[in-house]
Each structure stands twice: as C-alpha cells, then as structure tokens.
Amino acid sequence: MKKLLFLLIFSISLFASQPFTLENLNNLRIYFVNKAPFLDKELEQRIKDKVTSKLQAQGIRMNRVDASTLILKIEAIKLQTNYVINTQIAIAEEVITKRKEDVGTFAYTYHLNDLFDTKEPRIDTMESFEFLLEEFLDLYKEDNEN
C-alpha cells in the first residue's frame, strides 16, 4: 500500500505546474558560480555564450540597467572514477514581500537543478545546462504568450 501511495504522489508531481512565473522577464545578466574542479574558464565562457545566444534568440535583452540576475551554478565532487555534479539555473530579483509592512528583499523567483553522476563531466555538464535552459525557455514562452 505504501508503494502504491508513493507511486501515486510521484506521478501527480510529474504533471504539476512549477510554482514560478517568468512573465514580463525581459532583461537579464548572467552570474556564473563555478565550484567544479574540471570546469576551466574556457568551458565556463562557452556555457555563458551559448546561454546568452539562446536567451537573445527569445528576445531577452542582456546586461541592461536593473537587470534580473540569471545564476548558473555548478558544484562537483570527484569520486574514484567519476564525478557527481549538481547544475543549477535560477533567477534572482529584488522583490517586495506581502507582509504587514512591505519589505524589500532579494529572492529566487525561479530555480531548477540537475543532479547526475558521470565519467565525462565536461560533455555532460554542457548537456545539463542545455537541458536546464530548455526547461527555463519552455516556461518563459508559455508565460509570455500573447
């Protein structure tokens, strides 16, 4: 019975909508957090260039005044013959809370991560960031349809 309940909850969560909105998000700057020993500056720049290109193709402007921050983050742990890697993509913005008194704060308004085990960290990291970006752009397109 417990397995059936777990399976039911898991399958429902697959079809649940994400708790984020990307409406009217049209100005970003990229901030890259690299905590992976195998990821050099060249590969980091390739990832940033590819992300920038895909964002601009969707009409998102880059590095304008008061831009929201697109955070690309990678963390990796080397095991004996492979790496365990966690890649993340997030939007960080200044927001006003809905509390008794308005409070200005900095918050993640979008977040998605990918955790995987690999023997080819450079290749799989590129693929992971492509996957995360495609998920982001799918939601962006859906939220900004006219």
Side-chain angles (χ1 to χ4, degrees):
M1 184 65 179
K2 287 182 182 180
K3 289 181 182 180
L4 181 61
L5 182 61
F6 174 76
L7 185 60
L8 179 63
I9 291 171
F10 179 73
S11 64
I12 289 171
S13 70
L14 289 176
F15 299 105
S17 63
Q18 293 187 11
F20 305 109
T21 180
L22 299 176
E23 282 183 68
N24 301 318
L25 182 72
N26 56 18
N27 185 10
L28 293 171
R29 72 175 153 264
I30 294 177
Y31 181 73
F32 200 102
V33 180
N34 180 359
K35 295 187 178 200
F38 63 85
L39 197 110
D40 57 17
K41 291 292 181 187
E42 177 190 335
L43 184 56
E44 182 180 321
Q45 191 59 49
R46 281 182 40 211
I47 292 168
K48 287 171 26 178
D49 290 346
K50 184 172 263 193
V51 168
T52 298
S53 174
K54 287 189 175 196
L55 293 172
Q56 288 175 326
Q58 290 301 315
I60 298 173
R61 295 179 305 226
M62 302 302 293
N63 301 315
R64 302 282 169 93
V65 175
D66 293 331
S68 298
T69 303
L70 174 68
I71 300 169
L72 304 173
K73 183 176 181 181
I74 180 169
E75 299 169 296
I77 298 172
K78 182 159 178 39
L79 300 178
Q80 293 165 347
T81 60
N82 58 338
Y83 283 90
V84 175
I85 300 173
N86 183 28
T87 55
Q88 301 173 47
I89 185 172
I91 298 290
E93 301 178 278
E94 291 182 27
V95 297
I96 304 295
T97 63
K98 298 282 187 182
R99 299 181 185 162
K100 183 177 179 181
E101 293 182 24
D102 292 345
V103 177
T105 187
F106 202 65
Y108 280 165
T109 56
Y110 178 87
H111 183 265
L112 189 63
N113 74 303
D114 187 19
L115 180 66
F116 56 97
D117 180 13
T118 182
K119 292 185 186 222
E120 297 181 347
R122 294 174 59 90
I123 294 168
D124 290 340
T125 295
M126 287 292 290
E127 289 177 4
S128 177
F129 276 117
E130 287 178 23
F131 162 74
L132 293 173
L133 186 60
E134 288 305 316
E135 291 291 314
F136 172 82
L137 290 174
D138 286 347
L139 182 60
Y140 177 82
K141 290 174 201 173
E142 182 181 316
D143 285 352
N144 290 285
E145 289 177 343
N146 291 327

